[in-house]
Amino acid sequence: RMLSGYKPKNDVKDSYKILELNEGCSLDDVRNSYRNLAKKYHPDSSSGMADSKAFIRVEEAYRVVLNDVAAKQKSDPGEEEEDQFKSKSLQHRHYLSFEGVGIGTPSQREKQYMQFRVDRATEQVLEYRQQRLESLYAGSDLSRAKDVKQSKKVKITQAVERLVEDLIQESMAKGDFDNLSGKGKPLQKFSDSPHIDPMTHNLNRILIDNGYQPEWILLQKEIRETIERLRNSIVASRRKLGEPMSLSEQKQWGRICEQFAEDIRKLNKRVDNFNLVVPILSRQMVHFSMDKEILRARKTYEALMEKVSDSDTKENEGEEGK
């Protein structure tokens, strides 16, 4: 479009020199020379002599020489191919491509065409998003109404659940669940529970029938039996030493306390293992203190000694009465 009314600046002689041709050459010679020079100076070629300005000069010279050769052949009456070599405007393929977008060299026009495609694609994406949003907001009234109803339903359900949980905790704190009819009895075999699938129900029934107990229950039972045995043993050891204790008995009592402290340390390790496997947080246990256990054993020993002394005094009074 820009070159349709373009008039070249080169004259005929300079154009022949640029194309490296002599006057009177044939049309094939002009085309071959132009093709070789275009490969040599074209900006998109891989040649080391590529130059856009030199290519433009070659193109202008080719137009001038082509018109000159066509005019000479037209003036020759003996030429049969007169109509074939009429002066025509050069058909540039690169100007017919790229949808007619851009100006300049083919490489420049290609860059401009790529930017044009990017801009066009962006506009199409924006138009698609706009149409999609319009279609979504077209039925927004119904969707908003449904969302409001659903949110209200969820809020009411959560409020009821919190209220029920608060009531249960309050009743547990008051002790309303302490005198239940099934307290201390084994659980049923979940025969009527609708929340357990048949496979789990059968597995639970088989485990209960065969006396299965979870690991944390066994550990809890073992810890309670162990601490009870240790308490009884230290009280019995203290009773064997008598009152008051001699120097050797005091040393023996010190060794007994050291062994008792070692047993308490091992028992506390079992407590740690129990706390790791127990599923209920409120069921976790605290460590046993050696000092508190010794103090407890001393009080138990003193209480036993008081009972023994009271029984002895009563027997003596009875004998004196008789």
Side-chain angles (χ1 to χ4, degrees), residues 2 8 36 41 88-89 100 121 142 149 171 174 185 193 224 230 261 273 281 297:
M2 295 182 62
N36 295 331
Y41 296 111
K88 296 182 181 179
S89 60
L142 295 176
K149 290 181 181 179
S171 300
K174 291 180 180 179
K185 297 180 181 180
S193 178
R224 289 177 178 176
L230 292 176
N273 295 333
L281 185 62

Side-chain angles (χ1 to χ4, degrees), residues 187-296:
L187 296 175
Q188 297 180 359
K189 298 181 181 180
F190 309 101
S191 58
D192 299 330
S193 178
H195 306 291
I196 299 179
D197 58 285
M199 181 63 70
T200 306
H201 164 70
N202 293 331
L203 291 175
N204 291 336
R205 179 177 57 80
I206 294 171
L207 292 174
I208 292 173
D209 291 342
N210 290 275
Y212 170 78
Q213 291 181 348
E215 181 182 2
W216 66 275
I217 293 180
L218 296 177
L219 284 174
Q220 186 181 30
K221 184 179 180 180
E222 183 182 355
I223 290 170
R224 289 177 178 176
E225 291 177 353
T226 303
I227 191 63
E228 189 66 24
R229 178 174 55 80
L230 292 176
R231 288 170 179 172
N232 294 333
S233 64
I234 194 170
V235 172
S237 300
R238 180 66 183 86
R239 289 185 66 181
K240 290 179 181 179
L241 296 175
E243 186 69 27
M245 292 185 295
S246 62
L247 184 60
S248 60
E249 291 177 344
Q250 290 179 0
K251 292 181 179 179
Q252 186 178 357
W253 173 249
R255 291 193 294 270
I256 293 172
C257 292
E258 290 178 359
Q259 183 63 36
F260 182 76
E262 181 66 19
D263 295 336
I264 290 295
R265 186 180 63 81
K266 294 179 181 179
L267 184 61
N268 287 333
K269 289 184 178 181
R270 296 183 185 178
V271 172
D272 293 336
N273 295 333
F274 169 78
N275 292 334
L276 291 175
V277 297
V278 64
I280 306 174
L281 185 62
S282 60
R283 292 281 185 174
Q284 290 188 347
M285 303 176 66
V286 296
H287 285 185
F288 296 97
S289 175
M290 186 267 183
D291 296 334
K292 291 182 179 180
E293 293 297 331
I294 293 293
L295 182 61
R296 179 175 182 173

Side-chain angles (χ1 to χ4, degrees), residues 40-310:
K40 185 177 180 180
Y41 296 111
H42 197 281
D44 296 334
S45 65
S46 59
S47 175
M49 301 179 65
D51 189 3
S52 59
K53 295 181 179 179
F55 175 73
I56 293 174
R57 289 196 299 271
V58 169
E59 194 173 27
E60 293 176 352
Y62 174 67
R63 293 163 61 87
V64 172
V65 172
L66 188 65
N67 293 332
D68 183 67
V69 172
K72 289 180 179 180
Q73 291 181 356
K74 185 178 180 180
S75 62
D76 188 0
E79 187 68 31
E80 297 180 355
E81 300 178 355
E82 178 181 358
D83 297 334
Q84 185 177 0
F85 304 111
K86 291 191 295 184
S87 177
K88 296 182 181 179
S89 60
L90 183 63
Q91 298 294 326
H92 299 281
R93 296 181 181 178
H94 56 282
Y95 285 109
L96 297 177
S97 60
F98 305 129
E99 300 181 14
V101 177
I103 57 174
T105 61
S107 60
Q108 295 174 352
R109 295 184 67 249
E110 183 178 4
K111 293 180 181 179
Q112 296 173 11
Y113 177 65
M114 294 299 295
Q115 184 64 35
F116 168 74
R117 291 185 61 186
V118 171
D119 296 339
R120 184 172 60 184
T122 304
E123 293 177 358
Q124 292 177 356
V125 170
L126 293 176
E127 291 178 359
Y128 171 74
R129 290 181 178 178
Q130 183 178 1
Q131 294 175 0
R132 186 177 179 183
L133 291 175
E134 290 177 355
S135 63
L136 289 176
Y137 284 113
S140 60
D141 296 336
L142 295 176
S143 61
R144 288 177 182 175
K146 292 181 180 178
D147 293 340
V148 170
K149 290 181 181 179
Q150 187 68 19
S151 62
K152 287 183 178 180
K153 185 177 180 180
V154 171
K155 289 180 180 179
I156 292 172
T157 304
Q158 293 177 353
V160 171
E161 290 178 355
R162 287 196 298 269
L163 177 60
V164 172
E165 185 66 25
D166 293 340
L167 293 175
I168 292 174
Q169 295 295 333
E170 184 179 356
S171 300
M172 291 175 63
K174 291 180 180 179
D176 295 340
F177 297 155
D178 294 340
N179 299 323
L180 297 177
S181 59
K183 183 179 180 181
K185 297 180 181 180
L187 296 175
Q188 297 180 359
K189 298 181 181 180
F190 309 101
S191 58
D192 299 330
S193 178
H195 306 291
I196 299 179
D197 58 285
M199 181 63 70
T200 306
H201 164 70
N202 293 331
L203 291 175
N204 291 336
R205 179 177 57 80
I206 294 171
L207 292 174
I208 292 173
D209 291 342
N210 290 275
Y212 170 78
Q213 291 181 348
E215 181 182 2
W216 66 275
I217 293 180
L218 296 177
L219 284 174
Q220 186 181 30
K221 184 179 180 180
E222 183 182 355
I223 290 170
R224 289 177 178 176
E225 291 177 353
T226 303
I227 191 63
E228 189 66 24
R229 178 174 55 80
L230 292 176
R231 288 170 179 172
N232 294 333
S233 64
I234 194 170
V235 172
S237 300
R238 180 66 183 86
R239 289 185 66 181
K240 290 179 181 179
L241 296 175
E243 186 69 27
M245 292 185 295
S246 62
L247 184 60
S248 60
E249 291 177 344
Q250 290 179 0
K251 292 181 179 179
Q252 186 178 357
W253 173 249
R255 291 193 294 270
I256 293 172
C257 292
E258 290 178 359
Q259 183 63 36
F260 182 76
E262 181 66 19
D263 295 336
I264 290 295
R265 186 180 63 81
K266 294 179 181 179
L267 184 61
N268 287 333
K269 289 184 178 181
R270 296 183 185 178
V271 172
D272 293 336
N273 295 333
F274 169 78
N275 292 334
L276 291 175
V277 297
V278 64
I280 306 174
L281 185 62
S282 60
R283 292 281 185 174
Q284 290 188 347
M285 303 176 66
V286 296
H287 285 185
F288 296 97
S289 175
M290 186 267 183
D291 296 334
K292 291 182 179 180
E293 293 297 331
I294 293 293
L295 182 61
R296 179 175 182 173
R298 184 178 299 173
K299 291 181 179 179
T300 304
Y301 170 74
E302 292 175 356
L304 290 175
M305 294 304 295
E306 289 179 359
K307 290 182 180 180
V308 171
S309 61
D310 291 342

